[in-house]
Structures are given as structure tokens and as C-alpha cells.
């Protein structure tokens, strides 16, 4: 794909960085950006050498939400909104793990890769929805966040009414969603929405990459993929006993993966483990997606 509003690179240690690149428009979201972003994440997830992805914005902002020209279009258009954004020709990253994940932005949860949001500046509207479906979130000091929706006469968008209460609780989510007010990184850190806040500026991305580097260099790729699936599968049910029993069966599966032997040896020798890239065929054969989907229906 010819990338016009995004770009990405992959470091030798398997850390990928993805940029939204419309800095002159605040990295505002468009259908083109959606298509490119999905394509990039599909490529990264299919590459066994990639172990973690960091998503950030070019310039001083992360993503200020939907492009204002697109918003203006809908003030006069008679087109039904969903029909204008639901496109069958787009890549489908993260699809096939669970039916619940086969939707806009929720597909992040179906990726084997941990995805880290490096929120370098203003984050609004669909930008906030995007980072809410990432696995970890780090904000630059003073960065401003808002859903904006209620001040535009719109509802909570793209699953925010579902995901925010589960991330930070109903009281804080109600504050964010009902007021649409502007909040800073520091405030959202106190809510538990952000994992940490780092000084803004040139070093911000490198601080976030410290966590990405740790995952890439210290964490078993098989364990990362399995644990991510556990997190979001268990989020959808309320049976702690089922979670315990499922985890025991997964322990048995991962003990047969070479990463377990290497991890034990590295622990005994007090050295950094040398995990091989994840065998994607092994992931499908050892832990087929339907095993996680069945956990919900049992």
C-alpha cells in the first residue's frame, strides 16, 4: 500500500513504531488513515520478527479526532453514517480470534502483538477511542484529552461507553463521557487510564520505548500472545473459576513451547532470556482461536 498519512519502522529488536502523519491537520482521522493504519497493523502482526508495536502521532499532537472537513460533510449529507465507514475492502487485522473483536478498533484485542499508545499530544474523539483499545497507554505531560462527542451533539463513540467503565470505573467514565470536558495526562493518570506520564518533548517516545524494549527483549513472544488473549477473553465473563482452570490448561500448552525451557535456564543462570521469534503456525495449532471463543459460551 502507498502510505500517505501514516508510516512505520521496525527496530532490530522487534519493536515497531507506527506514526499517524497529518501533523498539519493535528493527525486528524480520515477514511484513508483508517485504511492505512489497518494495513500496517496487519503486516506487523503477520511478521514473526515483530514483538510489540508503539503507536504515536507525528509532530506535537497524537490525533485530534475526525477531520473537521468530514464532520462538516455530515452536517448536510443525507448519507447514513455507518454505511460511509463500514468498508469490506479494508484489511482485517486481529479478526478471527473472537467474534466480539471483529469490529472497528476492538480488533486491536485480537492481535498477537502488544500495542502501546504513546500519546505525545492532543488526543480527542476517535483518537481517544483508538488508544482505549491499545494494551498500554503513556501520555506526555500536559497532553489534553477529550471525547468531544457530547459537545458536538453526539453519543459516546466506538465502544467508549463499554470500554471506559471497565478501564477506569463507572464514576470516572461518566465524568469523561457525559461532560466531554478537556482533561490532562496527569488527571487521566490519577484515573488509572494511563500507565504513566513522561515529560513532553523529544525524549517522550524513547521513554515509552523503554517499556516496548522490555517486552521485546525480556518477554516470551508466546507468553505475550497467550496472555493478551487471556486478558480480553476473561474480561468478557465473570467466572473466576473458569479463568483459573483455563489458565492451567494454557500452562500445560506453554510448557511444551521452547520458550519455557529457555526462560527457566535464563532464570537459573541469571541472564537475559534469548527467546526465538514466535512461530505463528505454532500459535494457531497449539492455541486455536476457537478455544478462547468457547470460554465465553461454556
Amino acid at each position: 500500500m502507498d502510505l500517505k498519512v501514516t508510516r512505520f519502522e521496525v527496530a532490530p529488536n522487534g519493536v515497531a513504531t507506527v506514526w499517524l502523519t497529518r501533523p498539519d491537520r493535528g493527525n486528524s482521522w480520515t477514511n484513508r488513515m483508517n485504511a492505512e493504519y489497518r494495513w500496517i497493523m496487519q503486516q506487523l502482526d503477520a511478521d514473526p520478527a515483530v514483538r510489540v508495536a508503539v503507536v504515536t502521532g507525528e509532530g506535537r499532537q497524537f490525533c485530534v479526532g475526525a477531520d473537521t472537513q468530514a464532520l462538516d460533510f455530515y452536517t448536510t449529507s443525507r448519507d447514513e453514517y455507518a454505511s460511509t465507514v463500514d468498508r469490506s475492502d479494508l484489511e482485517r487485522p486481529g479478526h478471527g480470534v473472537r467474534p466480539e473483536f471483529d469490529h472497528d478498533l476492538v480488533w486491536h484485542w485480537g492481535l498477537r502483538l502488544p500495542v502501546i499508545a504513546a500519546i505525545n499530544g492532543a488526543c480527542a474523539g476517535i483518537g481517544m477511542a483508538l488508544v482505549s483499545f491499545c494494551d498500554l497507554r503513556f501520555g506526555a505531560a500536559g497532553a489534553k484529552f477529550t471525547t468531544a462527542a457530547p459537545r458536538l451533539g453526539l453519543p459516546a463513540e466506538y465502544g467508549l461507553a463499554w470500554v471506559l467503565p471497565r478501564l477506569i470505573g463507572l464514576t470516572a467514565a461518566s465524568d469523561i463521557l457525559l461532560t466531554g470536558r478537556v482533561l490532562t495526562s496527569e488527571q487521566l493518570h490519577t484515573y488509572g487510564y494511563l500507565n504513566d506520564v513522561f515529560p513532553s518533548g523529544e525524549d517522550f517516545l524513547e521513554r515509552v520505548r523503554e517499556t516496548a524494549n522490555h517486552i521485546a527483549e525480556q518477554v516470551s513472544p508466546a507468553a505475550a500472545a497467550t496472555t493478551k488473549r487471556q486478558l480480553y477473553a476473561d474480561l468478557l465473563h465473570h467466572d473466576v473459576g473458569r479463568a483459573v482452570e483455563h489458565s492451567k490448561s494454557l500452562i500445560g500448552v506453554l510448557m511444551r513451547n521452547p520458550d519455557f525451557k529457555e526462560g527457566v535456564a535464563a532464570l537459573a543462570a541469571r541472564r537475559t532470556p534469548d527467546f526465538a521469534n514466535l512461530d505463528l503456525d505454532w500459535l494457531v495449532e497449539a492455541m486455536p482461536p476457537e478455544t478462547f471463543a468457547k470460554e465465553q459460551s461454556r
Side-chain angles (χ1 to χ4, degrees), residues 43-279:
Q43 309 313 303
L44 297 179
D45 204 49
D47 184 351
V50 180
R51 300 192 176 190
V52 60
V54 177
V55 180
T56 193
E58 187 84 39
R60 300 177 61 183
Q61 296 162 309
F62 179 78
C63 173
V64 298
D67 187 88
T68 54
Q69 292 179 355
L71 292 176
D72 187 60
F73 165 79
Y74 287 109
T75 64
T76 57
S77 172
R78 294 181 178 272
D79 293 343
E80 199 278 321
Y81 173 74
S83 66
T84 66
V85 295
D86 293 340
R87 293 169 48 193
S88 60
D89 60 324
L90 298 180
E91 293 285 358
R92 295 161 59 85
H95 282 55
V97 174
R98 292 184 66 101
E100 298 94 332
F101 301 166
D102 295 350
H103 301 277
D104 282 327
L105 300 183
V106 194
W107 56 256
H108 284 84
W109 291 358
L111 300 174
R112 66 167 181 88
L113 291 172
V115 180
I116 302 173
I119 307 151
N120 56 305
C123 180
I126 194 170
M128 192 162 180
L130 187 158
V131 302
S132 294
F133 286 103
C134 292
D135 304 303
L136 299 170
R137 286 166 292 278
F138 296 90
K144 295 180 179 180
F145 295 72
T146 179
T147 61
R151 292 183 286 117
L152 295 171
L154 296 174
E157 59 183 340
Y158 286 89
L160 280 174
W162 188 95
V163 71
L164 276 182
R166 288 162 173 81
L167 290 175
I168 60 176
L170 183 60
T171 300
S174 296
D175 179 6
I176 293 171
L177 294 174
L178 290 176
T179 69
R181 68 190 181 102
V182 175
L183 298 165
T184 64
S185 288
E186 290 78 6
Q187 290 170 297
L188 288 181
H189 189 214
T190 66
Y191 280 174
Y193 183 74
L194 297 178
N195 294 89
D196 210 340
V197 176
F198 299 134
S200 61
E202 295 180 357
D203 293 335
F204 170 72
L205 185 56
E206 290 309 312
R207 290 292 305 274
V208 178
R209 281 182 176 145
E210 290 175 6
T211 297
N213 291 337
H214 173 84
I215 293 173
E217 297 166 6
Q218 303 277 347
V219 174
S220 155
T226 306
T227 302
K228 178 167 176 172
R229 290 187 179 181
Q230 280 180 280
L231 277 169
Y232 299 117
D234 287 350
L235 184 66
L236 298 180
H237 68 71
H238 302 284
D239 187 340
V240 64
R242 185 196 311 175
V244 170
E245 297 307 319
H246 189 213
S247 70
K248 285 158 63 176
S249 67
L250 292 174
I251 289 170
V253 171
L254 267 70
M255 279 183 170
R256 297 192 295 273
N257 184 280
D259 284 2
F260 174 64
K261 183 177 181 179
E262 169 58 17
V264 172
L267 180 64
R270 298 184 180 181
R271 61 172 173 80
T272 300
D274 184 19
F275 295 121
N277 291 335
L278 179 62
D279 184 335

Side-chain angles (χ1 to χ4, degrees), residues 1-7 32-33 35-37 39-40:
M1 173 176 277
D2 183 17
L3 300 179
K4 297 181 180 298
V5 293
T6 59
R7 65 184 177 92
R32 174 78 193 192
M33 183 176 285
E36 291 187 15
Y37 180 66
W39 182 87
I40 289 172

Side-chain angles (χ1 to χ4, degrees), residues 17-30:
T17 306
V18 182
W19 286 268
L20 310 180
T21 59
R22 299 184 74 214
D24 57 322
R25 301 285 296 177
N27 299 319
S28 54
W29 195 258
T30 63

